[in-house]
Amino acid sequence: DAKTTQPNSMESNEEEPVHLPCNHSTISGTDYIHWYRQLPSQGPEYVIHGLTSNVNNRMASLAIAEDRKSSTLILHRATLRDAAVYYCILREGGSEKLVFGKGTKLTVNP
Amino acid sequence: DTAVSQTPKYLVTQMGNDKSIKCEQNLGHDTMYWYKQDSKKFLKIMFSYNNKELIINETVPNRFSPKSPDKAHLNLHINSLELGDSAVYFCASSLLRIQQETQYFGPGTRLLVL
C-alpha cells in the first residue's frame, strides 16, 4: 500500500486559510491523491482528489507538487466546522480500497 | 435523504454473542465496503462487495461474515464476539470500483463488547 506522511496535528484560526501538507515520496505515476476528512463522531467524508494538476472544488483546493512527491490541501477560510482529522490517501491503480493513515487533526480556534 | 445508513448506531453486547449490523445505500452504487476503526482511531478496510460479489477480504477472522442480499444492502454478521471486536464499524459505497471514485461513508456503528 502506498504511503503518505502528514503532521499529527495543526491549528488554525477561524476565517484564516489552512494549508495541510502531505508527503508521498514513493508515489507512482498512476496513483491518485485523495483527501478525506472525519469530523468528530462521524464517518469519513470525501474532500477532493487529483492526479497531476491542481484541483479546486467548493470545499477546498488541492495543490500538487510538480514531481508529485507532495501535495497540500488548502482550506481557504477555515470555519469551526472544519475541525476534523484530515487524511491524505494514495489510491493505487487497479485498487478501489482506501488505505487510511493517521491523518492530521486540525483544530480551528474561534 | 440519508445516502448511506447503518443500524444500529450503538451496540452493546456480551462476549460470545452473535450480532449483525445492517447497511443500506440509496445512491444506486454497485460497490459497498465495510471498514473498522479501532480504539486508536485507525481505519482499515475489511470487505468490499461489487454487485453482491465479494471482492476484498482483508484477512478478517471468519467470525465476520458479510452478506449482500442485493446491491443496496451489505450486512455484517459477527459470531462469537470478542473484546477486541469493540470498535466503530463504517459502511461505505461507491459507484464504480476505480481509483478515482469517491466513497460515501455511513455514520458508523459503535460496537462495545463486554
Side-chain angles (χ1 to χ4, degrees):
Chain A
D1 296 326
K3 297 282 188 260
T4 62
T5 305
Q6 300 177 250
N8 289 334
S9 62
M10 290 185 66
E11 269 194 56
S12 171
N13 294 321
E14 204 175 3
E15 299 194 2
E16 289 184 358
V18 182
H19 291 234
L20 296 163
C22 180
N23 287 321
H24 28 78
S25 57
T26 60
I27 191 170
S28 74
T30 57
D31 291 347
Y32 275 78
I33 303 160
H34 284 248
W35 284 80
Y36 280 72
R37 70 180 185 181
Q38 187 173 20
L39 278 62
S41 301
Q42 293 190 29
E45 173 187 37
Y46 168 80
V47 178
I48 201 166
H49 77 276
L51 182 61
T52 55
S53 305
N54 295 343
V55 184
N56 299 299
N57 66 20
R58 63 172 180 82
M59 287 181 72
S61 295
L62 177 60
I64 301 173
E66 202 169 323
D67 64 3
R68 300 211 324 127
K69 294 183 184 299
S70 65
S71 60
T72 303
L73 178 70
I74 302 165
L75 306 179
H76 296 286
R77 289 183 66 201
T79 69
L80 296 178
R81 198 198 171 274
D82 292 321
V85 178
Y86 286 79
Y87 297 98
C88 170
I89 299 167
L90 295 186
R91 292 188 75 178
E92 299 170 349
S95 171
E96 69 260 45
K97 66 181 181 181
L98 291 172
V99 180
F100 289 85
K102 295 181 182 179
T104 296
K105 183 174 182 180
L106 175 66
T107 301
V108 181
N109 301 313
Chain B
D1 281 347
T2 303
V4 182
S5 59
Q6 296 179 227
T7 53
K9 189 170 182 180
Y10 298 95
L11 186 52
V12 181
T13 188
Q14 299 286 333
M15 250 177 29
N17 284 350
D18 303 338
K19 290 292 177 186
S20 291
I21 306 171
K22 295 186 176 182
C23 177
E24 177 181 1
Q25 54 94 4
N26 63 6
L27 298 167
H29 288 170
D30 286 343
T31 307
M32 296 184 72
Y33 311 82
W34 278 109
Y35 287 82
K36 177 181 178 181
Q37 188 166 39
D38 61 23
S39 57
K40 294 184 179 178
K41 302 296 184 183
F42 287 115
L43 257 167
K44 190 170 181 184
I45 191 166
M46 300 173 70
F47 301 102
S48 92
Y49 266 73
N50 181 256
N51 280 324
K52 302 195 297 174
E53 180 186 350
L54 179 66
I55 302 300
I56 294 175
N57 181 342
E58 289 282 312
T59 59
V60 176
N62 57 16
R63 297 183 296 105
F64 289 80
S65 53
K67 286 186 172 52
S68 181
D70 54 58
K71 278 184 2 176
H73 296 85
L74 181 62
N75 304 323
L76 184 64
H77 188 76
I78 315 170
N79 289 328
S80 303
L81 277 156
E82 299 177 357
L83 294 177
D85 297 332
S86 296
V88 184
Y89 293 84
F90 290 101
C91 177
S93 74
S94 65
L95 180 60
L96 300 171
R97 291 175 52 212
I98 57 176
Q99 59 183 140
Q100 304 94 307
E101 198 66 26
T102 298
Q103 291 187 16
Y104 296 83
F105 284 78
T109 295
R110 285 142 188 85
L111 172 64
L112 178 60
V113 182
L114 302 174

